[in-house]
């Protein structure tokens, strides 16, 4: 029987790697990632399900799946040189990806699938900070957080439940990583606005282990916190997989020069 041995939730703002920030904030965020890195190493996963989102690297408006599961043997990234993260190929775990697909289809959710996916900052940046060795095979699960209509939060939660079923039946130890958010609006006129009230309430619900309340946050509340906040979908999917666990927030810093409310948390 499979087991979810670790679950890490974090922001993936490119600024974390590429842009300067006040030293105290930068240090706090990197300390949070280092703590999560230790949690992941101690859990000794055989595979990582990396839940992140599409930023026009693999899909564009001519063909934009709500969900896409990677079933390839390896994934190159990051595509962005400016991150300063060495480009590499991360091994894939296609058997787990296919098991996730079959279980999802049986459960009434039909994600797209792809043997070839490129990784961008949404996956590569957290992996670089959480597992720089890149030696654990991954299954990328991309979610549309960019071009409406977006998959609804309860649908992401449901997909998370199905991912969990697939892991339970898979013979190995699996870690879940969900990346995105918290509040931000990169490139928008209000870019730089960080809705700390939203972020703090969101993290309070996470600490209470109230994934269902998070999945019930109205869309218009996310809109008010900035369109980048749509990326909490990755947190919701991971929460759907682990409804029994409470969040432990390792860091939250609203970093102005990174344009993002940055958080790292683990579920335990
Ligand atoms: Fe993003």
């Amino acid at each position: 029987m499979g087991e979810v041995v670790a679950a890490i939730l974090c922001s993936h703002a490119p600024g974390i790697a590429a842009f300067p920030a006040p030293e105290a904030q930068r240090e706090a965020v990197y300390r949070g990632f280092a703590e999560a890195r230790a949690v992941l190493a101690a859990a000794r996963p055989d595979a990582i399900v990396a839940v992140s989102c599409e930023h026009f690297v693999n899909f564009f408006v001519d063909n934009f799946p709500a969900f896409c599961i990677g079933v390839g043997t390896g994934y190159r990234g990051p595509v962005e040189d400016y991150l300063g993260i060495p480009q590499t190929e991360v091994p894939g775990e296609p058997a787990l990806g296919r098991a996730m697909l079959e279980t999802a289809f049986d459960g009434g959710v039909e994600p797209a699938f792809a043997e070839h996916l490129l990784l961008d900052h949404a996956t590569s940046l957290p992996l670089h900070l959480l597992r720089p060795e890149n030696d654990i095979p991954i299954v990328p699960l991309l979610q549309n957080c960019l071009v409406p209509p977006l998959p609804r939060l309860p649908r992401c939660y449901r997909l998370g439940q199905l991912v969990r079923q697939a892991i339970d039946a898979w013979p190995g130890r699996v870690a879940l990583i969900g990346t995105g958010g918290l509040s931000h609006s990169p490139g928008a006129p209000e870019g730089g606005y960080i809705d700390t009230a939203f972020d703090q309430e969101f993290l309070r619900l996470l600490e209470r282990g109230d994934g269902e309340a998070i999945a019930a946050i109205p869309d218009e509340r996310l809109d008010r916190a900035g369109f980048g906040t749509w990326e909490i979908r990755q947190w919701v999917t991971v929460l759907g997989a682990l409804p029994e666990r409470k969040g432990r927030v390792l860091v939250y810093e609203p970093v102005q020069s990174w344009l993002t409310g940055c958080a790292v948390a683990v579920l335990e």
Side-chain angles (χ1 to χ4, degrees), residues 11-14 52-55 120-122 145-146 179-181 184 186 227-228 231 234:
S11 302
H12 64 225
S52 69
C53 57
E54 176 58 34
H55 298 101
D120 69 6
H121 64 277
C145 301
L146 194 57
T179 88
H184 64 302
F227 79 90
E231 293 179 346
Q234 282 74 261

PDB file of all heavy atoms in Angstrom, residues 11-14 52-55 120-122 145-146 179-181 184 186 227-228 231 234, ligand 1:
ATOM      1  N   SER A  11       4.799  29.129  -1.924  1.00  0.00           N
ATOM      2  CA  SER A  11       4.738  30.083  -3.035  1.00  0.00           C
ATOM      3  C   SER A  11       5.833  29.735  -4.036  1.00  0.00           C
ATOM      4  O   SER A  11       6.805  29.059  -3.698  1.00  0.00           O
ATOM      5  CB  SER A  11       4.960  31.503  -2.514  1.00  0.00           C
ATOM      6  OG  SER A  11       3.999  31.820  -1.533  1.00  0.00           O
ATOM      7  N   HIS A  12       5.659  30.231  -5.279  1.00  0.00           N
ATOM      8  CA  HIS A  12       6.698  29.962  -6.290  1.00  0.00           C
ATOM      9  C   HIS A  12       7.107  31.235  -7.027  1.00  0.00           C
ATOM     10  O   HIS A  12       7.597  31.165  -8.164  1.00  0.00           O
ATOM     11  CB  HIS A  12       6.240  28.867  -7.258  1.00  0.00           C
ATOM     12  CG  HIS A  12       5.030  29.231  -8.098  1.00  0.00           C
ATOM     13  ND1 HIS A  12       3.971  28.374  -8.304  1.00  0.00           N
ATOM     14  CD2 HIS A  12       4.728  30.351  -8.799  1.00  0.00           C
ATOM     15  CE1 HIS A  12       3.086  28.951  -9.096  1.00  0.00           C
ATOM     16  NE2 HIS A  12       3.513  30.151  -9.407  1.00  0.00           N
ATOM     17  N   ALA A  13       6.903  32.386  -6.395  1.00  0.00           N
ATOM     18  CA  ALA A  13       7.197  33.665  -7.058  1.00  0.00           C
ATOM     19  C   ALA A  13       8.621  33.653  -7.609  1.00  0.00           C
ATOM     20  O   ALA A  13       9.567  33.350  -6.887  1.00  0.00           O
ATOM     21  CB  ALA A  13       7.039  34.808  -6.059  1.00  0.00           C
ATOM     22  N   PRO A  14       8.793  34.000  -8.910  1.00  0.00           N
ATOM     23  CA  PRO A  14      10.142  33.993  -9.496  1.00  0.00           C
ATOM     24  C   PRO A  14      11.116  34.873  -8.723  1.00  0.00           C
ATOM     25  O   PRO A  14      12.311  34.582  -8.654  1.00  0.00           O
ATOM     26  CB  PRO A  14       9.932  34.551 -10.906  1.00  0.00           C
ATOM     27  CG  PRO A  14       8.470  34.523 -11.165  1.00  0.00           C
ATOM     28  CD  PRO A  14       7.754  34.393  -9.867  1.00  0.00           C
ATOM     29  N   SER A  52       1.413  22.101  -9.677  1.00  0.00           N
ATOM     30  CA  SER A  52       1.711  23.513  -9.942  1.00  0.00           C
ATOM     31  C   SER A  52       0.799  23.983 -11.068  1.00  0.00           C
ATOM     32  O   SER A  52      -0.210  23.334 -11.352  1.00  0.00           O
ATOM     33  CB  SER A  52       3.196  23.721 -10.248  1.00  0.00           C
ATOM     34  OG  SER A  52       3.535  23.151 -11.474  1.00  0.00           O
ATOM     35  N   CYS A  53       1.127  25.105 -11.670  1.00  0.00           N
ATOM     36  CA  CYS A  53       0.194  25.638 -12.651  1.00  0.00           C
ATOM     37  C   CYS A  53       0.912  26.057 -13.911  1.00  0.00           C
ATOM     38  O   CYS A  53       2.124  26.197 -13.940  1.00  0.00           O
ATOM     39  CB  CYS A  53      -0.609  26.797 -12.059  1.00  0.00           C
ATOM     40  SG  CYS A  53       0.420  28.115 -11.434  1.00  0.00           S
ATOM     41  N   GLU A  54       0.128  26.234 -14.939  1.00  0.00           N
ATOM     42  CA  GLU A  54       0.633  26.542 -16.273  1.00  0.00           C
ATOM     43  C   GLU A  54       0.780  28.058 -16.426  1.00  0.00           C
ATOM     44  O   GLU A  54      -0.096  28.809 -16.039  1.00  0.00           O
ATOM     45  CB  GLU A  54      -0.368  25.980 -17.292  1.00  0.00           C
ATOM     46  CG  GLU A  54      -0.060  26.277 -18.719  1.00  0.00           C
ATOM     47  CD  GLU A  54       1.311  25.771 -19.156  1.00  0.00           C
ATOM     48  OE1 GLU A  54       1.769  24.727 -18.672  1.00  0.00           O
ATOM     49  OE2 GLU A  54       1.924  26.463 -19.985  1.00  0.00           O
ATOM     50  N   HIS A  55       1.933  28.484 -16.981  1.00  0.00           N
ATOM     51  CA  HIS A  55       2.140  29.916 -17.256  1.00  0.00           C
ATOM     52  C   HIS A  55       2.475  30.117 -18.734  1.00  0.00           C
ATOM     53  O   HIS A  55       3.451  30.786 -19.062  1.00  0.00           O
ATOM     54  CB  HIS A  55       3.300  30.482 -16.438  1.00  0.00           C
ATOM     55  CG  HIS A  55       3.146  30.447 -14.953  1.00  0.00           C
ATOM     56  ND1 HIS A  55       3.736  29.505 -14.150  1.00  0.00           N
ATOM     57  CD2 HIS A  55       2.484  31.265 -14.107  1.00  0.00           C
ATOM     58  CE1 HIS A  55       3.452  29.742 -12.873  1.00  0.00           C
ATOM     59  NE2 HIS A  55       2.692  30.805 -12.818  1.00  0.00           N
ATOM     60  N   ASP A 120       8.604  25.256 -15.519  1.00  0.00           N
ATOM     61  CA  ASP A 120       9.003  26.652 -15.339  1.00  0.00           C
ATOM     62  C   ASP A 120       9.178  26.911 -13.844  1.00  0.00           C
ATOM     63  O   ASP A 120       9.236  25.975 -13.038  1.00  0.00           O
ATOM     64  CB  ASP A 120       8.014  27.608 -16.017  1.00  0.00           C
ATOM     65  CG  ASP A 120       6.656  27.640 -15.328  1.00  0.00           C
ATOM     66  OD1 ASP A 120       6.494  27.007 -14.263  1.00  0.00           O
ATOM     67  OD2 ASP A 120       5.745  28.301 -15.850  1.00  0.00           O
ATOM     68  N   HIS A 121       9.233  28.203 -13.483  1.00  0.00           N
ATOM     69  CA  HIS A 121       9.516  28.531 -12.079  1.00  0.00           C
ATOM     70  C   HIS A 121       8.518  27.883 -11.121  1.00  0.00           C
ATOM     71  O   HIS A 121       8.848  27.623  -9.970  1.00  0.00           O
ATOM     72  CB  HIS A 121       9.507  30.058 -11.886  1.00  0.00           C
ATOM     73  CG  HIS A 121       8.170  30.684 -12.144  1.00  0.00           C
ATOM     74  ND1 HIS A 121       7.722  31.019 -13.402  1.00  0.00           N
ATOM     75  CD2 HIS A 121       7.162  31.001 -11.300  1.00  0.00           C
ATOM     76  CE1 HIS A 121       6.515  31.525 -13.319  1.00  0.00           C
ATOM     77  NE2 HIS A 121       6.140  31.531 -12.056  1.00  0.00           N
ATOM     78  N   ALA A 122       7.290  27.606 -11.600  1.00  0.00           N
ATOM     79  CA  ALA A 122       6.258  27.104 -10.691  1.00  0.00           C
ATOM     80  C   ALA A 122       6.619  25.741 -10.110  1.00  0.00           C
ATOM     81  O   ALA A 122       6.214  25.406  -8.993  1.00  0.00           O
ATOM     82  CB  ALA A 122       4.912  27.026 -11.416  1.00  0.00           C
ATOM     83  N   CYS A 145      -4.608  28.030 -13.677  1.00  0.00           N
ATOM     84  CA  CYS A 145      -4.893  29.110 -12.718  1.00  0.00           C
ATOM     85  C   CYS A 145      -4.791  30.449 -13.428  1.00  0.00           C
ATOM     86  O   CYS A 145      -4.609  31.484 -12.785  1.00  0.00           O
ATOM     87  CB  CYS A 145      -3.884  29.084 -11.576  1.00  0.00           C
ATOM     88  SG  CYS A 145      -3.852  27.554 -10.656  1.00  0.00           S
ATOM     89  N   LEU A 146      -4.843  30.440 -14.767  1.00  0.00           N
ATOM     90  CA  LEU A 146      -4.439  31.622 -15.523  1.00  0.00           C
ATOM     91  C   LEU A 146      -5.524  32.169 -16.439  1.00  0.00           C
ATOM     92  O   LEU A 146      -5.727  33.382 -16.504  1.00  0.00           O
ATOM     93  CB  LEU A 146      -3.196  31.234 -16.351  1.00  0.00           C
ATOM     94  CG  LEU A 146      -2.368  32.331 -16.985  1.00  0.00           C
ATOM     95  CD1 LEU A 146      -1.881  33.323 -15.932  1.00  0.00           C
ATOM     96  CD2 LEU A 146      -1.174  31.747 -17.728  1.00  0.00           C
ATOM     97  N   THR A 179       2.260  24.275  -5.207  1.00  0.00           N
ATOM     98  CA  THR A 179       2.920  25.584  -5.250  1.00  0.00           C
ATOM     99  C   THR A 179       2.039  26.653  -5.900  1.00  0.00           C
ATOM    100  O   THR A 179       1.323  26.380  -6.864  1.00  0.00           O
ATOM    101  CB  THR A 179       4.253  25.520  -6.038  1.00  0.00           C
ATOM    102  OG1 THR A 179       4.000  25.746  -7.437  1.00  0.00           O
ATOM    103  CG2 THR A 179       4.957  24.191  -5.859  1.00  0.00           C
ATOM    104  N   GLY A 180       2.112  27.861  -5.343  1.00  0.00           N
ATOM    105  CA  GLY A 180       1.408  28.999  -5.929  1.00  0.00           C
ATOM    106  C   GLY A 180       0.953  29.972  -4.862  1.00  0.00           C
ATOM    107  O   GLY A 180       1.022  29.674  -3.671  1.00  0.00           O
ATOM    108  N   GLY A 181       0.474  31.162  -5.300  1.00  0.00           N
ATOM    109  CA  GLY A 181      -0.004  32.143  -4.346  1.00  0.00           C
ATOM    110  C   GLY A 181       1.113  32.654  -3.445  1.00  0.00           C
ATOM    111  O   GLY A 181       2.277  32.444  -3.716  1.00  0.00           O
ATOM    112  N   HIS A 184      -1.186  37.951  -4.953  1.00  0.00           N
ATOM    113  CA  HIS A 184      -0.323  38.734  -5.842  1.00  0.00           C
ATOM    114  C   HIS A 184      -1.040  38.982  -7.166  1.00  0.00           C
ATOM    115  O   HIS A 184      -1.999  38.291  -7.491  1.00  0.00           O
ATOM    116  CB  HIS A 184       1.040  38.069  -6.060  1.00  0.00           C
ATOM    117  CG  HIS A 184       1.037  36.733  -6.763  1.00  0.00           C
ATOM    118  ND1 HIS A 184       0.360  35.636  -6.304  1.00  0.00           N
ATOM    119  CD2 HIS A 184       1.666  36.314  -7.901  1.00  0.00           C
ATOM    120  CE1 HIS A 184       0.574  34.600  -7.106  1.00  0.00           C
ATOM    121  NE2 HIS A 184       1.352  34.987  -8.093  1.00  0.00           N
ATOM    122  N   PRO A 186       0.851  39.848 -10.512  1.00  0.00           N
ATOM    123  CA  PRO A 186       2.016  40.244 -11.301  1.00  0.00           C
ATOM    124  C   PRO A 186       1.615  40.815 -12.659  1.00  0.00           C
ATOM    125  O   PRO A 186       0.791  40.231 -13.356  1.00  0.00           O
ATOM    126  CB  PRO A 186       2.789  38.925 -11.468  1.00  0.00           C
ATOM    127  CG  PRO A 186       1.765  37.848 -11.290  1.00  0.00           C
ATOM    128  CD  PRO A 186       0.761  38.393 -10.316  1.00  0.00           C
ATOM    129  N   PHE A 227      -5.187  38.442  -9.070  1.00  0.00           N
ATOM    130  CA  PHE A 227      -5.428  37.249  -9.898  1.00  0.00           C
ATOM    131  C   PHE A 227      -4.406  36.141  -9.637  1.00  0.00           C
ATOM    132  O   PHE A 227      -4.686  34.965  -9.879  1.00  0.00           O
ATOM    133  CB  PHE A 227      -5.512  37.623 -11.387  1.00  0.00           C
ATOM    134  CG  PHE A 227      -4.183  37.843 -12.056  1.00  0.00           C
ATOM    135  CD1 PHE A 227      -3.508  36.793 -12.662  1.00  0.00           C
ATOM    136  CD2 PHE A 227      -3.601  39.109 -12.075  1.00  0.00           C
ATOM    137  CE1 PHE A 227      -2.278  36.998 -13.281  1.00  0.00           C
ATOM    138  CE2 PHE A 227      -2.379  39.314 -12.687  1.00  0.00           C
ATOM    139  CZ  PHE A 227      -1.711  38.254 -13.282  1.00  0.00           C
ATOM    140  N   GLY A 228      -3.223  36.494  -9.127  1.00  0.00           N
ATOM    141  CA  GLY A 228      -2.238  35.458  -8.796  1.00  0.00           C
ATOM    142  C   GLY A 228      -2.730  34.559  -7.664  1.00  0.00           C
ATOM    143  O   GLY A 228      -2.265  33.416  -7.511  1.00  0.00           O
ATOM    144  N   GLU A 231      -3.946  30.916  -7.771  1.00  0.00           N
ATOM    145  CA  GLU A 231      -3.035  29.770  -7.661  1.00  0.00           C
ATOM    146  C   GLU A 231      -3.181  28.995  -6.352  1.00  0.00           C
ATOM    147  O   GLU A 231      -2.530  27.956  -6.197  1.00  0.00           O
ATOM    148  CB  GLU A 231      -1.586  30.243  -7.796  1.00  0.00           C
ATOM    149  CG  GLU A 231      -1.258  30.772  -9.170  1.00  0.00           C
ATOM    150  CD  GLU A 231       0.180  31.258  -9.269  1.00  0.00           C
ATOM    151  OE1 GLU A 231       0.843  31.435  -8.224  1.00  0.00           O
ATOM    152  OE2 GLU A 231       0.641  31.469 -10.385  1.00  0.00           O
ATOM    153  N   GLN A 234      -3.579  25.001  -6.113  1.00  0.00           N
ATOM    154  CA  GLN A 234      -2.637  23.903  -5.845  1.00  0.00           C
ATOM    155  C   GLN A 234      -2.696  23.491  -4.366  1.00  0.00           C
ATOM    156  O   GLN A 234      -2.595  22.313  -4.032  1.00  0.00           O
ATOM    157  CB  GLN A 234      -1.210  24.314  -6.213  1.00  0.00           C
ATOM    158  CG  GLN A 234      -0.939  24.252  -7.697  1.00  0.00           C
ATOM    159  CD  GLN A 234      -1.586  25.382  -8.480  1.00  0.00           C
ATOM    160  OE1 GLN A 234      -2.649  25.198  -9.084  1.00  0.00           O
ATOM    161  NE2 GLN A 234      -0.997  26.559  -8.468  1.00  0.00           N
TER     162      GLN A 234
HETATM  163 FE1  LIG B   1       2.536  31.529 -10.689  1.00  0.00          FE
END
